[in-house]
Amino acid sequence: DVLDPERLIQCPLVKHHQIRARRFPYHLVKCKESNPEIAKKLATCPFNARHLVPQADLSDHIMKCNDKAFMEQDVVNRPSEPPQEQPNNGSTWQAPPCDEDWET
């Protein structure tokens, strides 16, 4: 959490886990590994990987997710021009000239 990294957040896997916001992503990874049966029943939000919700509630969460606005704003702010094609002929890097003669 950018606003308060010390804020306590409740773990979506084990409700009695209270984790500081700055440690929350790390906790999620470990807690998923430690609780695979619970993790299997949860779905990850496509807008924020910190949002784990019951699979049956995912579509409702997607409609209401606050982070969806950030994603939509990013799409709106993209330039409308199609991306220019890059030549796909490999690297254009060339080695600098070498004055060394390894044979002598």
Side-chain angles (χ1 to χ4, degrees):
D1 192 340
V2 177
L3 300 177
D4 185 7
E6 297 300 315
R7 181 173 65 101
L8 290 176
I9 301 174
Q10 181 179 9
C11 174
L13 291 118
V14 180
K15 299 299 180 192
H16 68 269
H17 288 175
Q18 295 288 317
I19 304 95
R20 301 231 181 264
R22 63 187 167 87
R23 298 289 310 156
F24 192 67
Y26 307 105
H27 174 81
L28 281 181
V29 170
K30 288 294 204 178
C31 205
K32 279 182 183 179
E33 291 173 358
S34 299
N35 301 286
E37 290 302 314
I38 298 172
K40 212 182 329 185
K41 298 175 185 173
L42 299 176
T44 303
C45 170
F47 306 116
N48 187 334
R50 296 178 185 184
H51 297 170
L52 296 177
V53 295
Q55 289 182 354
D57 298 340
L58 182 61
S59 59
D60 186 48
H61 173 82
I62 288 172
M63 297 301 290
K64 297 176 181 176
C65 182
N66 292 335
D67 292 323
K68 179 179 177 182
F70 294 117
M71 193 68 96
E72 289 172 342
Q73 189 66 32
D74 188 41
V75 170
V76 168
N77 288 337
R78 276 195 190 150
S80 58
E81 307 166 2
Q84 293 183 358
E85 299 245 351
Q86 297 290 330
N88 193 12
N89 58 358
S91 176
T92 57
W93 182 84
Q94 293 181 352
C98 182
D99 295 333
E100 294 180 17
D101 184 2
W102 285 72
E103 300 299 320
T104 57

